[in-house]
Every structure is written in C-alpha cells, then in structure tokens.
C-alpha cells in the first residue's frame, strides 16, 4: 500500500503543468503595469484587490479545467455548441477584442524590456516578441505539450525571481501590508487601477484556455476513479500555480510601494526600471527587466495559443497559427509605432480585459452547474453561488468605473 501511495504521488506530480501554463496569463506585462502603477500611486492601498482577484482566478480556473475533463470540450467549444451562428459570431467578436487587448499588453511589455536591456526601438521589439512567441508555440507543435509546459514553467520561475529579487534588499513593513488588506478605494483612479488589476488577473483568455489545456494533456476520462483522481490533481495544480502567480503579483505592488513612492517619473515601466536602478542598484534593475522580458515572451505565446483555441471553438474552423498571430500582433505593433504611452496602453488594455470577464465566467458557471452536462461532477450549490457572485462583482466594478471616469471628465 505504501508503495502504491508513493507511486501515485510521483505520478500526480508528473501530471501537474496545465495550470502553470494558464498562470502565465496572471503575471504578464499587463500585471506589471497595473501593479507597479498601483504601488507607485497608492502604496499598499490595493493589495487586497490582488489577493481577492487571485482567489477568484483560482476558482474559475478550476471550473474551466473541470469542464474540459468532464465534457471533453473546451469552454469556447461548449459555448459555441449552444449558440446560433449569428450569436456565436457576436460572442467571438467580443472574445477577439479581448484577445487583441491581451496581445497588446504582452507585446508592449516584451518591447519595453528589449528596449531597456538592448536599446531596441519599441516597434522592432514588438515584432521580435511576436516572432519568439511563435517559436515557443512551435515547441508545442513539434515536441509535444509536456515540453512546452516545462519551458513555460521555467519562464514563470524566471519571472518570479526577477520581480521578487528586490526583497533581498528591502522588505515591506508588516503593519502597512496588513493595512493594504483592508478593502477600500481612494478616488476614481484607484477604481481604474483596481479594474486593471482584476482584468490582468482573472484574464478571460486564460479562463477559455485552461479547459483546452487539460484536454490536450489528460484527454477525456470517463466517469470513475481516473476522472476523480485527475480532478484532485487539477485542484492541486491550480492551487500551486495560483500561489506562485499571486505571490509574484503581490511582490510587484510591494516593490513599487516600498521603493518607488515619492520618486518622479515612475508612472511608466521604464521609469520604474530607472528608479529601481537608482534605489536598489543595477543588478536588481536588470533582474526586473529580465523578468519583464520573460513575462512578455511567455505570455505572448500562451495568449496566441488561447486565441487559436477560441477561434476554433467559436468559428468552428482551424486558423493557421501565423494568421492568428498577425491578427492580434498588428494592433500592438501599430500602437508602438504611433508613439502612444506604452505603460498607459498596458493599463487600459487590462481594463478592456476586465469587461470581457463576465462573458467568460457567466457561461462557465452556468455550464458547470448543469447536472445534465456535468453529472456527478456538477458544482456544489455554494460553488455556483460564489461563481455568480464573482461575475456580478466584476460587472458592478466596471459600471462604477465608467461612472467615475465620465464624472471625472
């Protein structure tokens, strides 16, 4: 029995990975912009938003993975199956806008990192980021998903080290951190940044994607012990991946709150790099830039993977990856070419993502609470209630955001 338990434990660890690929979406350059901007402008005020968003993300990621394992369909495919063609195309259009907003953040982040590290022009850096993301996807197509997961997980570890390295130099005061866990806002800009943090954390494309990731990795197990075991492994996978992502996100905000408040011109990522270089030294600054680069490259490839899955599920056709890549890459490179503030573009892209969350979460909760579809793996009523509450909370936050923004103008 002990040997069987040990073997099961080893096998379970081998099966981990899909959630870590999805977790890359939670530490992309959009997170960097939103978290650094929040820490710089408001200190520890919005730390509670990161914690709450991470808990929400963990729930919806597990529901997405469960839907894939139980039904044998990705979330986009399950949604598209129930829609008429006009409604399905309309739903795809909003998902495509979200995918473009996602790629804007990821490509711009990679371009900023390449400019910081090597002095490359932003448009060229954006193109290079897009090309490298295609090469990472080629690893999956030619060498299989397991190697792709390992490469992405390795990049996730680089991101974690890059953004948390400054804690070896300065640590936050415990009373300020505890104060940041108290839910509150301070003006319309704090609501805007809260929506950006939420959109950067509970990312719609990651919700769509996780259901397909587990299918690619585990297949469609029938009812019984194997499925129950895979669902347990998936829960562990999600908890570990979200713990890493949540820690990295909190670290970004805390680093900005500790080191960047009171400094001039740190509202941009490159300004934050300069301030970190001045405050903490060149080594920590370079690690920050490397973390940003790894974030842009990994999240861009994962975003393209998700976009192809969304297209296939909602358009009912397979789109060549290079075509799919160009659809979302061109707007990002265009924004870089016309000279818009890249950090502000990143933050606004995350706000756009937050508007796409209900379109992903509401169908997910409805599908996973459908006993005819899910059988014995239907959501517990409490889980369903929490899922509806998450979608409602995001929707309300977006309405408040629009009101405060218009009022401020």
């Amino acid at each position: 029995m002990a040997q069987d338990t040990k073997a099961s434990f080893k096998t379970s660890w081998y099966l981990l990975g899909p959630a870590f690929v999805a977790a890359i979406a939670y530490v992309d350059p959009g997170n960097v912009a939103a978290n650094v901007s929040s820490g710089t402008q408001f200190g520890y005020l919005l730390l509670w938003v990161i914690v709450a968003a991470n808990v929400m993300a963990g729930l919806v990621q597990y529901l997405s993975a469960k839907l894939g394992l139980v039904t044998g369909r990705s979330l986009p495919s399950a949604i598209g199956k129930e829609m008429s063609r006009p409604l399905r195309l309309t739903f795809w259009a909003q998902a495509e806008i979200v995918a473009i907003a996602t790629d804007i953040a990821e490509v711009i982040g990679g371009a900023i990192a390449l400019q910081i590290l090597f002095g490359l022009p932003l448009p060229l850096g954006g193109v290079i980021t897009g090309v490298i993301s295609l090469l990472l996807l080629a690893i999956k197509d030619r060498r299989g998903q397991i190697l792709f997961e390992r490469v992405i997980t390795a990049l996730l570890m680089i991101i974690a080290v890059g953004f948390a390295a400054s804690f070896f130099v300065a640590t936050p005061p415990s009373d300020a951190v505890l104060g940041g866990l108290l839910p509150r806002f301070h003006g319309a800009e704090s609501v805007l940044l809260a929506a950006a943090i939420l959109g950067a954390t509970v990312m719609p494309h990651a919700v769509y994607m996780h259901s397909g990731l587990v299918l690619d990795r585990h297949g469609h197990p029938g009812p019984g012990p194997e499925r129950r075991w895979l669902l347990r492994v998936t829960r562990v996978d999600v908890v570990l991946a979200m713990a890493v992502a949540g820690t990295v996100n909190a670290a970004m905000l805390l680093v900005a709150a500790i080191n960047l408040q009171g400094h001039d011109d740190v509202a941009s990522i490159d300004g934050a790099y300069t301030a970190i270089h001045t405050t903490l030294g060149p080594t920590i600054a370079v690690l920050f830039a490397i973390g940003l680069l790894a974030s842009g490259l990994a999240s861009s490839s994962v975003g393209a993977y998700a976009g192809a899955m969304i297209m296939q599920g909602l358009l009912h056709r397979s789109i060549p990856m290079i075509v799919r890549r160009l659809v979302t890459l061109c707007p990002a490179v265009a924004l870089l070419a016309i000279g818009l503030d890249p950090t502000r573009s990143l933050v606004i892209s995350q706000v756009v993502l937050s508007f796409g969350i209900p379109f992903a979460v509401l169908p997910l909760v409805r599908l996973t609470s459908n006993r005819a579809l899910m059988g014995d793996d239907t959501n517990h009523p409490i889980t369903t209630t929490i899922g509806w509450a998450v979608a409602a909370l995001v929707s309300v936050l977006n309405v408040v955001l629009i009101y405060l923004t218009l009022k401020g103008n």
Side-chain angles (χ1 to χ4, degrees), residues 128-149:
I128 291 174
T129 301
V131 171
I132 294 177
S133 70
L134 276 176
L135 295 178
L136 290 175
L137 287 170
I139 293 176
K140 178 186 179 299
D141 292 338
R142 297 184 180 183
R143 302 293 299 274
Q145 180 162 333
I146 293 178
L147 180 59
F148 177 69
E149 288 175 1

Side-chain angles (χ1 to χ4, degrees), residues 24-371:
I24 282 292
Y26 303 117
V27 291
D28 77 342
N31 291 86
V32 180
N35 295 330
V36 170
S37 295
S38 299
T40 299
Q41 295 181 48
F42 297 102
Y44 306 92
L45 178 74
L46 298 179
L47 181 61
W48 67 274
V49 179
I50 290 178
V51 175
N54 205 64
V55 173
M56 293 179 192
L59 171 64
V60 297
Q61 289 304 134
Y62 174 68
L63 293 182
S64 177
K66 182 172 75 168
L67 177 72
L69 286 173
V70 173
T71 67
R73 288 181 174 274
S74 68
L75 177 56
S77 177
I79 293 172
K81 184 175 183 290
E82 298 187 347
M83 291 181 173
S84 63
R85 189 172 187 274
L87 185 58
R88 180 162 45 82
L89 292 178
T90 301
F91 194 94
W92 167 77
Q94 67 80 27
E96 192 63 35
I97 292 172
V98 167
I100 291 173
T102 300
D103 226 23
I104 285 172
E106 293 155 352
V107 171
I108 288 178
I112 292 173
L114 288 170
Q115 184 181 64
I116 290 172
L117 290 169
F118 306 109
L120 297 181
L122 287 174
L124 177 59
V127 172
I128 291 174
T129 301
V131 171
I132 294 177
S133 70
L134 276 176
L135 295 178
L136 290 175
L137 287 170
I139 293 176
K140 178 186 179 299
D141 292 338
R142 297 184 180 183
R143 302 293 299 274
Q145 180 162 333
I146 293 178
L147 180 59
F148 177 69
E149 288 175 1
R150 290 174 179 172
V151 171
I152 295 298
T153 302
L155 288 171
L156 178 59
M157 295 303 106
I158 293 172
I159 294 166
V161 172
F163 292 135
S166 65
F167 286 119
F168 291 102
V169 179
T171 56
S174 57
D175 57 338
V177 173
L178 291 174
L181 298 177
L182 178 65
R184 63 196 191 281
F185 295 108
H186 190 268
E189 182 67 16
S190 69
V191 179
L192 173 68
L193 288 172
I197 291 172
L198 192 59
T201 304
V202 190
M203 295 189 77
H205 81 283
V207 180
Y208 293 123
M209 176 178 61
H210 203 163
S211 54
L213 284 170
V214 295
L215 278 174
D216 289 347
R217 180 68 181 275
H218 304 311
H220 178 211
E226 181 185 4
R227 180 189 289 177
R228 290 195 297 272
W229 178 46
L230 284 173
L231 286 172
R232 286 197 298 270
V233 171
T234 297
R235 283 194 290 270
V236 174
D237 197 22
V238 170
V239 169
L240 291 176
M242 295 312 302
V244 173
T247 300
V248 173
N249 279 316
M252 294 179 202
L253 185 145
L254 294 175
V255 166
I258 297 167
N259 302 296
L260 305 183
Q261 271 193 300
H263 288 261
D264 296 328
D265 192 27
V266 294
S268 63
I269 291 180
D270 51 348
Y273 166 81
T274 301
I276 291 173
H277 188 284
T278 302
T279 306
L280 301 176
T283 301
I284 301 297
V286 168
L287 289 173
F288 173 85
I290 291 173
L292 177 64
L293 178 60
S295 171
L297 297 177
S299 60
S300 187
S301 63
V302 170
Y305 179 105
M309 185 182 299
I310 291 169
M311 275 189 168
Q312 186 169 357
L314 293 173
L315 296 183
H316 294 171
R317 63 181 63 183
S318 181
I319 307 297
M321 187 60 71
I322 190 167
V323 174
R324 164 67 207 158
R325 198 72 194 88
L326 289 173
V327 167
T328 52
L329 179 62
C330 290
V333 175
L335 287 177
L336 292 171
I338 63 179
L340 293 180
D341 176 29
T343 301
R344 189 64 177 177
S345 298
L346 278 172
V347 173
I348 296 301
S349 74
Q350 302 311 290
V351 176
V352 173
L353 291 182
S354 74
F355 283 92
I357 295 171
F359 292 97
V361 175
L362 287 171
L364 174 64
V365 175
R366 184 180 63 82
L367 289 168
T368 53
S369 59
N370 183 345
R371 183 165 292 277

Side-chain angles (χ1 to χ4, degrees), residues 187-189 191-192 195 351 355 395-409:
E189 182 67 16
V191 179
L192 173 68
V351 176
F355 283 92
S395 300
V396 169
L397 180 61
N398 288 331
V399 171
V400 173
L401 171 64
I402 294 173
Y403 171 75
L404 290 176
T405 302
L406 294 176
K407 183 179 178 181
N409 292 333

